[in-house]
Amino acid sequence: MQAANRNFGKAASCALLATWALASSPLQAQAPAHALAPVVKEGTTVKVSDHVYVIPDGKVSMVPNVGIVVGARATLVVDPGMGIRSGEVVLREIGKVSKNAELYIVNTHFHSEHTTGEAAFPADTKIIRSAAQQQDIEELGMKHVARFSSVSPVIAGVLNGITGFRVPSELFESEKTLDLGGVRVRLMNLGPGHTRGDTAVYVEGDGVLFSGDLVMKQLFPAFATPQSSGRSWLASLEQLDALKPRTVVGAHYPITDSSVIREYRDLLGALQTRVAELKREGKSSDETGELLRSEFRTRFPDWDQPLRIHSAATAIYRELP
């Protein structure tokens, strides 16, 4: 893997870094990002189907829902959390549900809380990424680590020792099917949406979908990279809906069912329609973002992170004629 550039300029301001982190990861309403160490919680693993387990995020900022998929031959981990401590917790939880020596890791996208737990895994762990996600890692991965580390000393401590990303065992372009031994898992490159390299993971026989940040329960979407696209995001949701999953595990927030995909389609479709209307009325991108942030906060009162609507609206604004 091409080495990531580790020479970072000084952050423009702490406020800018906090805003960037907010767009990348959900924050608890009850506590700021630095108040809780964002480490995967041990002893909380739940079984969601015959072959699939999840370590829930507990709605803790910068902690993902971690997936463990167990076949007869190998075990797959989806998003092993942030930092070495999280990775160690995930390994101990795997030991409770699987005796397989062969391990795979797949990340739903490149952000630090989804990837850097890989550092704790054995050297022979096979890491599979889409080519687009690998590009995100090479261009943005260590910058993201540096920015998260700058938010607070607590987060810097969690990311201590992360000096780079693991070299992938395999890259794929659009889709790959992984056989874990009687359990088939589809890996789907669906970006750019939340990021350029969004990857969905579908456990076929169990009907379990790991949707990453493309679909989450009552959490507004974050357009987190310059390549993020509302048009592409909606197309990705159509593909996910066609799978007809029984269980949907978003990157963050509660485990749910396929209705959440339609909720996200309705939200993004409504946002696209309103952005187009305001643009035709001559509103600027920033005016559109401000108006829709207020409007959609009222329209979706049970959804968290309404600040994200502004960046979503401005990204969609750029796409429209």
Side-chain angles (χ1 to χ4, degrees):
M1 181 180 72
Q2 186 178 3
N5 183 359
R6 297 183 178 86
N7 298 318
F8 304 110
K10 185 176 180 181
S13 69
C14 290
L16 177 61
L17 290 169
T19 301
W20 198 92
L22 184 69
S24 300
S25 180
L27 304 181
Q28 287 185 304
Q30 303 94 321
H34 60 271
L36 296 172
V39 175
V40 173
K41 188 173 181 180
E42 193 157 0
T44 60
T45 301
V46 295
K47 188 173 184 177
V48 299
S49 70
D50 287 345
H51 306 97
V52 180
Y53 301 81
V54 174
I55 310 175
D57 69 344
K59 278 195 172 182
V60 175
S61 168
M62 300 184 186
V63 174
N65 291 315
V66 179
I68 303 171
V69 186
V70 182
R73 177 183 58 81
T75 299
L76 167 67
V77 177
V78 181
D79 291 345
M82 184 156 73
I84 294 169
R85 288 163 58 195
S86 287
E88 290 172 343
V89 168
V90 174
L91 282 168
R92 288 194 291 271
E93 293 300 293
I94 291 171
K96 298 174 184 178
V97 300
S98 171
K99 301 303 181 186
N100 295 324
E102 189 171 358
L103 296 175
Y104 290 87
I105 292 176
V106 173
N107 308 117
T108 58
H109 55 289
F110 79 94
H111 286 158
S112 304
E113 77 272 30
H114 299 271
T115 52
T116 53
E118 69 182 20
F121 278 67
D124 59 355
T125 302
K126 299 177 178 67
I127 296 174
I128 302 178
R129 299 190 187 118
S130 72
Q133 189 178 108
Q134 182 63 25
Q135 186 177 0
D136 276 342
I137 283 173
E138 290 176 1
E139 294 179 7
L140 303 169
M142 286 306 298
K143 292 179 182 179
H144 192 277
V145 170
R147 285 167 171 166
F148 263 29
S149 296
S150 297
V151 172
S152 77
V154 170
I155 296 170
V158 172
L159 285 165
N160 184 46
I162 303 301
T163 58
F165 287 76
R166 298 272 289 265
V167 176
S169 305
E170 183 178 348
L171 297 176
F172 68 96
E173 290 296 331
S174 59
E175 187 169 326
K176 174 182 174 59
T177 299
L178 182 62
D179 188 347
L180 301 176
V183 180
R184 288 168 55 87
V185 183
R186 288 176 64 186
L187 313 178
M188 306 166 64
N189 174 34
L190 295 178
H194 175 58
T195 65
R196 174 171 43 195
D198 294 320
T199 299
V201 178
Y202 183 57
V203 186
E204 291 183 339
D206 292 51
V208 178
L209 171 67
F210 291 91
S211 58
D213 277 54
L214 288 172
V215 179
M216 295 173 288
K217 184 68 175 177
Q218 294 183 331
L219 180 62
F220 282 114
F223 285 60
T225 61
Q227 296 82 17
S228 295
S229 161
R231 188 179 296 115
S232 175
W233 201 320
L234 279 165
S236 296
L237 294 177
E238 289 182 13
Q239 290 182 256
L240 295 181
D241 205 16
L243 295 172
K244 301 188 183 306
R246 292 188 291 274
T247 303
V248 177
V249 184
H252 306 278
Y253 277 43
I255 300 165
T256 183
D257 57 33
S258 62
S259 64
V260 72
I261 302 174
R262 293 184 287 279
E263 290 171 5
Y264 248 62
R265 289 178 69 179
D266 290 346
L267 169 72
L268 283 172
L271 187 60
Q272 192 176 60
T273 297
R274 288 292 291 129
V275 170
E277 290 171 352
L278 292 172
K279 189 170 186 177
R280 285 195 297 269
E281 291 173 12
K283 296 288 191 297
S284 69
S285 174
D286 192 56
E287 287 173 328
T288 297
E290 288 295 323
L291 286 168
L292 295 186
R293 184 175 66 185
S294 176
E295 178 181 318
F296 276 72
R297 180 192 291 123
T298 302
R299 192 167 172 177
F300 296 86
D302 297 328
W303 288 51
D304 289 344
Q305 298 281 335
L307 286 175
R308 292 177 167 187
I309 288 296
H310 189 284
S311 59
T314 54
I316 292 170
Y317 189 99
R318 289 194 300 270
E319 294 183 305
L320 295 174

